[in-house]
Amino acid sequence: MLTIGTLSRKTGTKVQTVRYYEQIGLLREPGRTAGGQRRYEEADLDRLAFIRHARQLGFALDAIRELLDLSDHPQQSCADADSIARRQLKQVEQRLLRLQALQKELKRMIAECSGDRMADCRVLEVLRDHSECLTAHDDIGA
Amino acid sequence: MLTIGTLSRKTGTKVQTVRYYEQIGLLREPGRTAGGQRRYEEADLDRLAFIRHARQLGFALDAIRELLDLSDHPQQSCADADSIARRQLKQVEQRLLRLQALQKELKRMIAECSGDRMADCRVLEVLRDHSECLTAHDDIGA
DNA sequence: TTTACAAGCTTTAGCCACTAGAGGTTCAAG
DNA sequence: CTTGAACCTCTAGTGGCTAAAGCTTGTAAA
Ligand SMILES: [Zn+2]
Ligand SMILES: [Zn+2]
Ligand SMILES: [Zn+2]
Ligand SMILES: [Zn+2]
């Protein structure tokens, strides 16, 4: 029987986050004491640890939900789980490409600025005029 | 005199986003027609283009606000503008480091999985147990 | 001049994944 | 029995938009 605080400490999750996961149905509703406090079992700890580790690897909560569902069927093929991981890898690689391009542009504008008056600031110039850039930067969020 | 739609088209910004920028004080309140529709000037177009370009380069709206304020003082030193850009570069580089580590872990778990039953899925195994990882992955958001 | 309709308007709520705070109750040690 | 840390619920906020409902306005053709 674990309190929410113990669960929290053992997984490095904020207490509110644990409650949030319960609220969105990612964790089951645990048992309660007579006074209404949550009491967890070891299985909950494992599940929460899985969630947190997947989050650290960048998986979205929806993907994690799928992965948890899949792992409840140990006899089935893991093709679906693998493809979720491949999807995640693709997303990471897309972000990498974008950030690498940003890094290049930022480095360049900083290097080119003489650090003189604002009127001649290379940083501001480039921000004012994309044609000073070497790369395109499509969508904003990526 | 530009309508909000024209502004939107010329800068690749959604109409609602333009109104949002006005709401948070990033764009001034423009003039209105008798009927209450917004009418912009060329200067608004330049400002919005600046904002959007800075967003594409990953700057946060707060940083953009600072940059815009700074560029209103052309005779001052651009040291502050440059340091905002350097801060942005640092952030990009930190994210790059994190994503590169994630990429490595994801690649590895995918490569090591034989694609057999869920019970033996390497992806799930690694997610269940961080000690299977080669790298640490500190904080979740980065 | 009337009419049609694209484009504008405001207000509200939703997205993701938490996080913080207010204001109260329970548990466990001493 | 008392203390106080830890728990509880509920609400609202973060960033940067985005969507939708339900209106009103502007403009150009008939
Ligand atoms: Zn400069
Ligand atoms: Zn550019
Ligand atoms: Zn597998
Ligand atoms: Zn790990």
Side-chain angles (χ1 to χ4, degrees):
Chain A
M1 285 308 202
L2 308 161
T3 65
I4 198 172
T6 309
L7 211 65
S8 155
R9 244 170 291 114
K10 290 206 180 188
T11 60
T13 316
K14 298 237 158 99
V15 166
Q16 301 106 290
T17 304
V18 179
R19 290 197 281 246
Y20 169 71
Y21 288 161
E22 177 185 329
Q23 195 189 307
I24 62 169
L26 207 53
L27 292 176
R28 69 178 185 101
E29 294 183 22
R32 301 267 186 157
T33 63
Q37 298 196 356
R38 289 168 179 82
R39 288 297 180 269
Y40 293 92
E41 327 223 341
E42 290 297 325
D44 298 309
L45 185 58
D46 293 343
R47 190 175 170 95
L48 181 54
F50 183 103
I51 294 170
R52 285 269 106 186
H53 193 214
R55 285 292 296 130
Q56 289 183 322
L57 287 162
F59 287 88
L61 292 182
D62 269 358
I64 295 173
R65 204 189 298 268
E66 283 189 77
L67 288 168
L68 285 165
D69 289 352
L70 288 170
S71 75
D72 283 342
H73 302 285
Q75 297 314 315
Q76 288 183 17
S77 146
C78 76
D80 287 353
D82 291 15
S83 98
I84 291 173
R86 274 194 301 272
R87 220 165 57 203
Q88 173 63 15
L89 175 60
K90 234 181 233 170
Q91 212 188 69
V92 166
E93 285 175 341
Q94 281 222 325
R95 284 198 203 151
L96 270 174
L97 285 178
R98 176 163 188 259
L99 286 181
Q100 276 155 3
L102 294 196
Q103 183 193 28
K104 209 177 281 184
E105 296 290 355
L106 288 166
K107 265 189 175 165
R108 201 168 68 101
M109 72 172 81
I110 290 165
E112 285 177 5
C113 185
S114 61
D116 211 19
R117 285 171 315 128
M118 218 75 82
D120 312 314
C121 180
R122 188 70 186 139
V123 170
L124 295 176
E125 267 173 37
V126 173
L127 289 177
R128 273 194 278 265
D129 182 5
H130 168 60
S131 74
E132 302 284 348
C133 288
L134 292 179
T135 57
H137 7 256
D138 313 324
D139 42 348
I140 249 162
Chain B
M1 285 307 206
L2 308 160
T3 66
I4 198 171
T6 308
L7 211 65
S8 154
R9 245 169 291 116
K10 290 206 180 191
T11 59
T13 316
K14 298 238 159 97
V15 166
Q16 300 106 290
T17 306
V18 179
R19 289 197 281 247
Y20 170 70
Y21 288 162
E22 177 185 328
Q23 197 190 306
I24 62 170
L26 206 53
L27 292 176
R28 67 177 187 104
E29 295 183 22
R32 301 269 185 155
T33 63
Q37 297 195 357
R38 290 168 179 81
R39 290 297 180 268
Y40 293 93
E41 326 221 343
E42 290 296 325
D44 298 310
L45 185 59
D46 294 343
R47 191 175 170 95
L48 181 55
F50 184 103
I51 294 169
R52 284 271 108 184
H53 194 216
R55 285 293 295 131
Q56 289 184 321
L57 288 162
F59 287 88
L61 291 183
D62 270 359
I64 296 174
R65 206 189 296 268
E66 283 189 78
L67 288 168
L68 285 165
D69 288 351
L70 288 171
S71 76
D72 282 341
H73 301 285
Q75 297 314 314
Q76 288 183 18
S77 148
C78 76
D80 287 354
D82 291 14
S83 100
I84 291 173
R86 274 195 299 274
R87 220 165 57 204
Q88 173 62 16
L89 175 60
K90 234 181 231 169
Q91 213 187 69
V92 165
E93 283 173 342
Q94 281 221 325
R95 283 196 205 151
L96 270 173
L97 284 179
R98 177 165 188 258
L99 286 181
Q100 276 155 2
L102 296 196
Q103 182 193 28
K104 210 177 280 185
E105 295 291 356
L106 288 166
K107 266 189 175 168
R108 200 167 70 101
M109 69 171 82
I110 290 166
E112 286 178 4
C113 185
S114 60
D116 211 19
R117 284 170 315 127
M118 217 76 81
D120 312 313
C121 181
R122 190 68 185 138
V123 169
L124 294 175
E125 269 173 38
V126 173
L127 289 177
R128 271 194 279 266
D129 183 5
H130 167 62
S131 74
E132 301 284 348
C133 288
L134 294 178
T135 56
H137 6 256
D138 315 323
D139 42 350
I140 247 162

